[in-house]
Amino acid sequence: RNLKRHMECRRDIGTLNFRFLSIYESLIPEEEEKAKQKQLLTLLEKLVSKEWPKAQLFLYGSCANSFGVSKSDIDVCLAINDADIDKSEFLLKLADILQSDNLQNVQALTRARVPIVKLKDPVTGISCDICINNVLAVVNTKLLRDYAQIDVRLRQLAFIVKHWAKSRGVNETYQGTLSSYAYVLMCIHFLQQRKPAILPCLQGMETTYSVTVDDIQCAFFDQVERLRHFGSHNKESIAQLVWAFFNYWAYHHDYANDVISIRTGSIISKREKDWTRRKGNDRHLICIEDPFETSHDLGRVVDKFSIKVLREEFERAAYIMQYDPDPCVALFEPY
Ligand code: CTP
Ligand code: MG
């Protein structure tokens, strides 16, 4: 009887893996979409270089870190080596230039936390946010992209988690839940912690890539093609990992004391970071250390109401993964 139960269980996990993998595949952007993004970037480069020949444009965020699902907007960083530009003035001028080139809905949001110009390209239908000199975001984009090349299970897990977070309404920083960037860091950390580990800690290895941005030294091992077999001792499937991820955040993470840190590849203590009490608007109820801006807690947007929502969602997901015979329906049910 045990053998029979065991075989049934294996078959269920096999089916579930297949379901998760098809969801993952269906979310991957088509090549055509990537080509359109390139086309828009080329147009923007042309317009920007007319006015500012030394400026450079970089893609960052999900269109460049390999965690972007299809039909995402693109994030562009305009890097200009001029210490004393006035960002608002610059953005207004940029908006002017773009407006006169038939781009639609051009809007300068100069008062936002990260000031940007928003626009939509009528030719490709792609929307785009342009920020100025946010070079750290370009570097953390590279770090995430490098991690994604080590083991395909990271990209699979992160797609499933992001898809879950969007379906359940817990991917809204303005409502006190977490950014996509925070969820990807949670996935990387989780895979660094598996036994055997599925991901290494790139910032803890020999430095092969190093840049200094805003006085922060960003250094890590980036020859990831040499790490293709890193996770091969761990045979866990995507279904097992999704189950374990939600189980960790529902029942095993120590919210009172722990900070997750992909920089160190381990858990560090809130005490050590002085994140034990509320400071201004930063409550530190769930702590996710930024890999480069280490004073930056990606969980700082979470307040005493939204932490409850978030933890209930983790518990709901863990429950579904444990007991629902067909978890993919309930897991992604719109809230
Ligand atoms: N970012 C950051 N610090 C944050 C939030 C975001 O540095 N607190 C940067 C990261 O480089 C991140 C990018 O901004 O990759 C975009 O963030 P976000 O919109 O959260 O992630 P996307 O990957 O673009 O996700 P989505 O597919 O939901 O647009
Ligand atoms: Mg984005």
Side-chain angles (χ1 to χ4, degrees):
R1 182 136 44 96
N2 275 343
L3 182 66
K4 185 163 171 257
R5 178 77 197 103
H6 178 70
M7 294 311 283
E8 273 169 13
C9 211
R10 297 241 335 228
R11 197 191 54 221
D12 288 351
I13 288 198
T15 316
L16 190 53
N17 271 320
F18 182 79
R19 297 268 271 133
F20 278 130
L21 290 179
S22 0
I23 294 171
Y24 162 69
E25 306 273 345
S26 71
L27 293 168
I28 297 177
E30 304 272 340
E31 278 308 311
E32 192 190 336
E33 198 177 323
K34 290 268 146 207
K36 283 185 175 168
Q37 294 178 348
K38 281 262 154 61
Q39 189 187 333
L40 174 56
L41 187 68
T42 310
L43 170 68
L44 294 174
E45 273 168 344
K46 202 183 84 194
L47 297 174
V48 166
S49 70
K50 262 193 222 159
E51 184 69 34
W52 300 283
K54 287 199 182 133
Q56 278 182 293
L57 293 188
F58 298 97
L59 287 176
Y60 73 100
S62 65
C63 58
N65 65 17
S66 72
F67 297 102
V69 302
S70 63
K71 316 225 162 37
S72 305
D73 300 348
I74 66 172
D75 299 304
V76 176
C77 167
L78 190 157
I80 183 141
N81 236 339
D82 183 350
D84 41 42
I85 54 161
D86 179 289
K87 273 196 190 176
S88 303
E89 233 170 78
F90 191 96
L91 285 168
L92 289 169
K93 183 157 184 194
L94 177 65
D96 250 7
I97 294 169
L98 300 172
Q99 187 102 52
S100 54
D101 201 87
N102 284 330
L103 291 159
Q104 291 173 340
N105 311 342
V106 181
Q107 239 184 321
L109 306 182
T110 55
R111 285 150 185 263
R113 193 180 60 83
V114 180
I116 52 168
V117 170
K118 286 179 97 61
L119 61 91
K120 182 166 176 172
D121 174 27
V123 179
T124 56
I126 296 176
S127 298
C128 160
D129 292 350
I130 307 175
C131 67
I132 313 284
N133 287 348
N134 189 2
V135 182
L136 269 179
V138 178
V139 180
N140 68 38
T141 293
K142 172 176 163 58
L143 180 69
L144 266 48
R145 184 174 61 235
D146 286 343
Y147 270 114
Q149 286 182 49
I150 300 170
D151 195 296
V152 69
R153 288 172 288 185
L154 170 60
R155 202 169 174 226
Q156 294 167 346
L157 177 66
F159 270 49
I160 300 293
V161 169
K162 276 179 66 176
H163 184 49
W164 162 83
K166 285 182 206 285
S167 312
R168 300 300 302 165
V170 288
N171 180 207
E172 310 285 358
T173 45
Y174 68 92
Q175 289 180 349
T177 56
L178 299 170
S179 66
S180 296
Y181 177 58
Y183 282 113
V184 176
L185 297 179
M186 288 158 81
C187 292
I188 294 173
H189 176 262
F190 172 76
L191 297 181
Q192 287 175 331
Q193 299 300 302
R194 300 312 289 162
K195 304 261 177 310
I198 294 180
L199 291 179
C201 169
L202 294 177
Q203 288 169 277
M205 296 168 65
E206 169 203 354
T207 299
T208 56
Y209 172 86
S210 170
V211 282
T212 304
V213 182
D214 308 338
D215 295 329
I216 297 175
Q217 204 207 349
C218 308
F220 56 95
F221 182 80
D222 76 336
Q223 297 176 2
V224 284
E225 58 290 342
R226 287 167 55 191
L227 298 173
R228 284 277 156 72
H229 300 290
F230 183 90
S232 61
H233 293 297
N234 182 311
K235 307 285 183 211
E236 286 176 297
S237 64
I238 184 64
Q240 284 170 298
L241 292 170
V242 172
W243 173 86
F245 178 87
F246 286 123
N247 216 44
Y248 173 75
W249 285 101
Y251 305 115
H252 298 294
H253 180 71
D254 182 349
Y255 288 81
N257 299 302
D258 289 353
V259 176
I260 65 156
S261 158
I262 73 161
R263 172 181 62 94
T264 57
S266 64
I267 300 265
I268 53 185
S269 76
K270 283 199 194 183
R271 213 167 342 104
E272 185 182 320
K273 305 220 46 133
D274 200 18
W275 284 354
T276 47
R277 56 217 138 71
R278 174 174 176 172
K279 284 210 197 82
N281 263 338
D282 297 6
R283 292 173 177 85
H284 305 301
L285 300 174
I286 173 172
C287 295
I288 303 160
E289 182 194 56
D290 186 89
F292 300 123
E293 284 183 279
T294 54
S295 63
H296 195 161
D297 174 9
L298 276 313
R300 75 192 189 295
V301 291
V302 177
D303 59 33
K304 68 176 196 279
F305 174 74
S306 60
I307 188 69
K308 248 184 109 219
V309 174
L310 208 52
R311 292 185 64 170
E312 279 168 14
E313 282 298 330
F314 288 135
E315 286 169 26
R316 176 184 181 276
Y319 183 89
I320 291 167
M321 288 302 296
Q322 184 79 39
Y323 297 109
D324 194 319
D326 185 14
C328 286
V329 179
L331 201 56
F332 305 113
E333 198 164 56
Y335 64 106

